[in-house]
Amino acid sequence: ESDPNDADHLGNFALFMENIRRDYDQAESLYRRAIESDPNDADHLGNFAVFMETIRRDYEQAESLYRRAIESAPNDADHLGNFAVFMETIRRDYEQAESLYRRAIESAPNDAHHLGNFAFFVETIRRDYEQAESLYRRAIESAPNDADHLGNFAVFMETIRRDYEQAESLYRRAIESAPNHAGHLGNFANFMYHIRRDYDQAESLYRRAIESDPNHANTLGNFAFFMQTIRRDYDQAESLYRRAIESDPNHARHLGNFALFMQTIRRDYEQAEGLYRRAIESDPNHANNLGNFAVFMKNVRRDYEQAESLYRRAIESDPNHANNLGNFAVFMQTIRRDYEQAESLYRRAIESDPNDANTLGNFAGFLLGIGNPSGLEILKRVVALESTEEALQLELAFYCLAHWPEQWDAALRQTRLLIAKGVRSPGWDLTANCHQAALQQHPQVDFLRALAQVVADNATAETVQHFSCWQTD
């Protein structure tokens, strides 16, 4: 009021109205007055650029303001760094973003903020992990208690270096520095869930994260998956999925996970299909969603043309996705009967994940079913893995009964137990294995044919009870 044209007071008041009062209309008016009073003040130009980017989402004007700010102060690290983030995340102009990051760090070599942001860029965009780790360490050395850099470096050490001891230490430091940071709490919850398998601590961390930010879509979606797969509390899982999608309606991963939930748990196929389509519309190259939707179209809709198209898109998006390769191999084996391509896909899947019990088991059954004796070595390999998935155990036990005489007694005992527990592998076609057993003059071919129908859930357990080999003393 005393000096209506003082650019500094106008600019500072604009920041206050933006960050404290959240009165964005007045903040914008004050920014404009400040710049009108001093058109070349880099700080007001840079702050207004951030406002136009993050609040108004007017990217054209934001870029123009960033450029004016840097023209006024070519070596100002903050404006260079903020513009770098803009060019990385909004424009996706990675060449210019990297150049700006380097200029920012050259101007302020010990600025933890720019070092940490550049580390994240180098990790996720350039995939130069050596340089990323060096930058993270420099950032944390400059600001040992900066929760963001500690949290990002923790994720790096977990997912890239697989140094779980250091990752856990970094997560704990990040949360000690910012006890209510929803992102770090949620990431540490994921770590405790997937890496440490400490489910009680994981759940506690998820709940703290959501308490800190009830609308944090990523945490809500991850906690939904946890409640579905670990706690089997399907009502709470569904509620969390819905909250996650309400918070971020275009989040492809949560849409895809919820689609799978509606398909496998609720059996609401209409809603499942709608969610799959939304997920793929949000991210047309999301390999996991494409692969799961392919399975849906194959098993639920029986639309084999669309299923094959989705499998091919999924593998094109991620050529080394072991689960999609394995599922497509099953499709080519059982639906297309293209055994040459099926074998090729199985081998690619196993090359991508040599210890995936499901793929190994399916490949063993496939090879034994076409009379390839190498299937027995793979069967021995997968049996040694001691899979915990009971449907797979039942399939493996059947392969042992059909093709591995030395395992007959043990496999028969295991099959009896699993069948008595109600374990089945619905729709799993074991006809080829029965045929090969007959060609090899198996003494219990009739029993195997009857058992195959029980395993596939096409017949009741009573079907095999009259066979002497099934009866116990």
Side-chain angles (χ1 to χ4, degrees), residues 266-318:
R266 298 304 194 201
R267 311 272 174 125
D268 184 335
Y269 299 135
E270 295 306 317
Q271 191 166 177
E273 182 171 347
L275 288 161
Y276 277 128
R277 293 194 182 281
R278 283 178 60 190
I280 291 168
E281 187 178 347
S282 293
D283 184 353
N285 298 314
H286 194 291
N288 214 43
N289 290 338
L290 289 164
N292 287 339
F293 194 26
V295 173
F296 175 89
M297 295 307 290
K298 172 198 164 203
N299 294 340
V300 177
R301 298 304 192 203
R302 310 281 172 115
D303 184 336
Y304 300 135
E305 296 305 317
Q306 189 166 177
E308 181 171 347
S309 171
L310 287 161
Y311 277 127
R312 293 194 183 281
R313 285 176 60 189
I315 291 168
E316 187 177 346
S317 293
D318 184 353

Side-chain angles (χ1 to χ4, degrees), residues 215-244:
N215 299 315
H216 194 286
N218 213 36
T219 302
L220 290 163
N222 290 337
F223 191 27
F225 190 75
F226 174 90
M227 295 306 290
Q228 172 189 343
T229 56
I230 302 302
R231 300 304 193 203
R232 312 224 171 193
D233 184 335
Y234 299 135
D235 289 337
Q236 189 168 177
E238 182 173 347
S239 172
L240 288 161
Y241 276 127
R242 292 193 184 282
R243 287 174 59 189

Side-chain angles (χ1 to χ4, degrees), residues 327-395:
N327 287 338
F328 193 25
V330 172
F331 176 89
M332 296 307 290
Q333 170 191 345
T334 59
I335 303 301
R336 298 305 193 203
R337 310 274 174 178
D338 184 335
Y339 299 138
E340 186 175 341
Q341 189 166 177
E343 181 171 347
S344 171
L345 287 161
Y346 275 126
R347 293 193 184 282
R348 286 176 60 189
I350 292 167
E351 188 178 346
S352 293
D353 186 352
N355 296 313
D356 184 89
N358 197 56
T359 302
L360 286 167
N362 291 342
F363 190 33
F366 165 76
L367 290 174
L368 292 165
I370 62 172
N372 188 330
S374 66
L376 184 57
E377 292 306 312
I378 296 173
L379 179 60
K380 292 177 181 178
R381 178 175 157 192
V382 68
V383 166
L385 292 175
E386 298 182 349
S387 168
T388 58
E389 188 182 339
E390 290 185 323
L392 176 60
Q393 289 178 22
L394 183 59
E395 293 166 18

Side-chain angles (χ1 to χ4, degrees), residues 172-236:
R172 293 192 183 281
R173 286 174 59 188
I175 291 169
E176 187 178 345
S177 293
N180 299 316
H181 192 293
H184 303 322
L185 288 164
N187 288 339
F188 192 27
N190 291 338
F191 176 88
M192 297 307 290
Y193 166 20
H194 296 289
I195 304 301
R196 297 305 194 203
R197 313 225 173 192
D198 184 335
Y199 301 135
D200 290 336
Q201 189 168 176
E203 182 172 348
S204 172
L205 287 161
Y206 279 128
R207 293 193 183 280
R208 283 177 59 190
I210 291 169
E211 188 178 344
S212 294
D213 183 353
N215 299 315
H216 194 286
N218 213 36
T219 302
L220 290 163
N222 290 337
F223 191 27
F225 190 75
F226 174 90
M227 295 306 290
Q228 172 189 343
T229 56
I230 302 302
R231 300 304 193 203
R232 312 224 171 193
D233 184 335
Y234 299 135
D235 289 337
Q236 189 168 177

Side-chain angles (χ1 to χ4, degrees), residues 10 30 65 93 163 226 231 287 295 335 343 365 404 431 457 466:
L10 289 163
L30 288 160
L65 288 160
D93 184 335
D163 183 335
F226 174 90
R231 300 304 193 203
V295 173
I335 303 301
E343 181 171 347
W404 192 359
T431 306
D457 206 20
H466 69 280

Side-chain angles (χ1 to χ4, degrees), residues 14-25:
L15 274 175
F16 174 87
M17 296 306 290
E18 173 188 353
N19 298 321
I20 306 301
R21 298 301 191 206
R22 311 265 171 135
D23 183 336
Y24 299 133
D25 290 337

